[in-house]
């Protein structure tokens, strides 16, 4: 696997990186294990100041860090700065909350005086994607650092500079080298980490295929695993919805990060009485977008992350059209040198269309017409995925009631995806299992040790 920085704005190769060698892999495992051994019996509160310092480093170097991901995977500068700040907020949240949450927990029992200790378990090995090259790493690092676990991450091959920059930020905040390390390795070398007895857990954010492979290895070597995979999030527009609010939100959630977000709404399921107005409003919004250089503050949509990603999406759209989908807007070439894809709206997608159950990871909105609330819920659930979603209705309480019927891990009622450090993140079905972030995310790779004291001395 070649680790390269290719600017998708111009499709220009900027730098190629050497892979981590077998000797370096051995050193990384030894360094990570030493960190775990050093920290496993230390009060988590002693690590809080360092995690706050990492957050401060991120904020103090936000412009430079944002510029790296803009250049490396095409994220607009505004969104890149938001990502850096979100990482800082995650670090601060865990630094503030984890010490109390990780205290021994007494439980009532006839067996005697019992406490549950929340202890570190070892090294956590992660395989992380390119679309949020800092945020995904912080979701793994911050909770595990507070627990006392070491973290080793394999980043996506097209964002090596971002991974190394995050490692630099962790060290810049004062953390020991073993707390967080980046491994530039191929897929085959992942097994070297997963099978090592010093590795206690494995996590992955990525495709179903990659998740299945990593989960198989974790099962083979009896390692706990967490997966966050794809999504085909539904955006329901129901009775009483305010289209003046809903349509701008639909445009925002579909086109953030050029549509390359696992939790972005990809299927817009609209009651028939709102359908024509919704489609017309979505089309008007797409028509007024400016496509171009992601560092230009006037640009609304930057490039996709790579020419390969663009070509894959084009093939999917062509296939959808061949099976009967209609193009309301878009699907025309963009006269720019980079990996640009014109935002596109598709309708008339039936159950025999591959796009009906396939995630389109890019700026393509699929719009469906339904005739009842029950039909909307049934359509929302009729996919292999269950990550996020949103329900818009005139009454927020009713929207929340409908949201509870959607088979996903996260749903917004009269709002779309909320990026917040305190909220658990994860899905069901083929979207994976386990939760990151929030209080739940702290305990994913914790040894919940039960200590029972004798009833008599």
């Amino acid at each position: 696997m070649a680790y390269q920085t290719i600017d998708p704005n111009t499709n220009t190769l900027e730098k190629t990186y050497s892979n981590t060698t077998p000797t370096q892999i051995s050193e990384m495992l030894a360094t990570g294990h030493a960190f775990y051994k050093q920290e496993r019996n230390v009060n988590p509160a002693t690590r809080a100041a360092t995690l706050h310092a990492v957050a401060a480093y991120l904020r103090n170097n936000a412009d430079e860090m944002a510029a790296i991901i803009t250049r490396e995977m095409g994220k607009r500068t505004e969104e890149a700065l938001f990502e850096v700040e979100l990482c800082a907020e995650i670090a601060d949240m865990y630094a503030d909350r984890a010490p109390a949450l990780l205290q021994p927990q007494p439980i009532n029992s006839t067996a005697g005086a019992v406490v549950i200790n929340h202890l570190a378990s070892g090294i956590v090995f992660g395989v992380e994607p390119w679309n949020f090259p800092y945020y995904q790493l912080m979701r793994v690092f911050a909770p595990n650092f507070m627990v006392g676990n070491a973290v080793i991450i394999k980043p996506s091959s097209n964002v090596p500079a971002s991974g190394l920059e995050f490692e630099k930020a962790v060290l810049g905040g004062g953390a020991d080298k073993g707390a967080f390390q980046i491994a530039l390795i191929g897929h085959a070398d992942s097994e070297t980490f997963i099978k090592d007895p010093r590795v206690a857990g494995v996590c992955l954010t990525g495709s179903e295929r990659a998740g299945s492979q990593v989960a198989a290895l974790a099962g083979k070597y009896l390692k706990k695993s967490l997966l966050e995979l794809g999504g085909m999030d539904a955006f329901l527009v129901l009775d009483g919805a305010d289209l003046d609010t809903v349509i701008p939100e639909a445009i925002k959630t579909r086109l953030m990060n050029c549509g390359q977000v696992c939790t972005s709404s990809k299927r817009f399921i609209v009651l028939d009485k709102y359908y024509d107005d919704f489609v017309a409003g979505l089309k008007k919004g797409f028509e007024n977008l400016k496509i171009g250089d992601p560092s230009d503050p006037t640009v609304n949509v930057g490039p996709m992350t790579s020419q390969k990603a663009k070509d894959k999406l084009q093939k999917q759209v062509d296939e959808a059209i061949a099976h009967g989908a209609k193009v309301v807007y878009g699907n025309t070439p963009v006269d720019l040198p980079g990996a640009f894809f014109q935002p596109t709206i598709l309708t008339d997608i039936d159950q025999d269309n591959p796009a009906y159950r396939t995630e389109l990871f890019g700026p393509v909105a699929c719009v469906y017409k339904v005739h009842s609330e029950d039909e909307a819920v049934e359509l929302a659930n009729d996919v292999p995925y269950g990550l996020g979603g949103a329900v818009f209705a005139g009454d927020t309480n009713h929207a929340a009631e409908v949201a509870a019927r959607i088979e996903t891990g996260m749903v917004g009622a009269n709002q779309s995806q909320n990026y917040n450090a305190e909220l658990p993140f994860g899905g069901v079905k083929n979207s994976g299992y386990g939760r990151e972030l929030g209080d739940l995310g702290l305990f994913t790779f914790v040894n919940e040790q039960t200590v029972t004291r004798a009833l008599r001395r």
Side-chain angles (χ1 to χ4, degrees), residues 385-400:
Y385 302 97
L387 189 56
V391 178
F392 289 83
D395 179 73
T396 300
N397 289 333
H398 181 63

Side-chain angles (χ1 to χ4, degrees), residues 69-85:
I69 55 177
T70 295
R71 185 175 67 252
E72 194 161 52
M73 52 74 58
K75 193 186 298 282
R76 292 191 306 115
T77 297
E78 177 185 352
E79 295 173 341
L81 288 168
F82 170 78
E83 181 174 343
V84 175
E85 173 57 28

Side-chain angles (χ1 to χ4, degrees), residues 213-294:
Q213 293 171 340
V214 167
L217 288 172
K220 177 180 178 180
Y221 297 108
L222 301 178
K223 303 298 173 73
K224 187 175 183 180
S225 61
L226 178 149
L227 302 179
E228 193 271 283
L229 309 177
M232 291 183 68
D233 292 6
F235 185 110
L236 277 60
V237 182
L238 304 180
D239 198 46
D242 176 13
L243 293 189
D244 289 339
T245 300
V246 167
I247 291 172
E249 188 66 23
I251 295 169
K252 175 184 175 182
T253 184
R254 180 69 287 245
L255 298 182
M256 177 184 179
N257 203 23
C258 197
Q260 302 166 118
V261 183
C262 53
T263 55
S264 66
S265 295
K266 301 178 177 75
R267 298 178 299 139
F268 298 89
I269 301 172
V270 186
L271 278 183
D272 47 12
K273 66 179 179 180
Y274 302 120
Y275 180 82
D276 290 342
D277 288 339
F278 179 86
V279 172
L282 197 65
K283 180 175 182 289
K284 182 178 179 181
F286 277 26
E287 288 172 340
N288 291 326
L289 297 168
K290 181 178 179 180
I291 303 170
D293 186 339

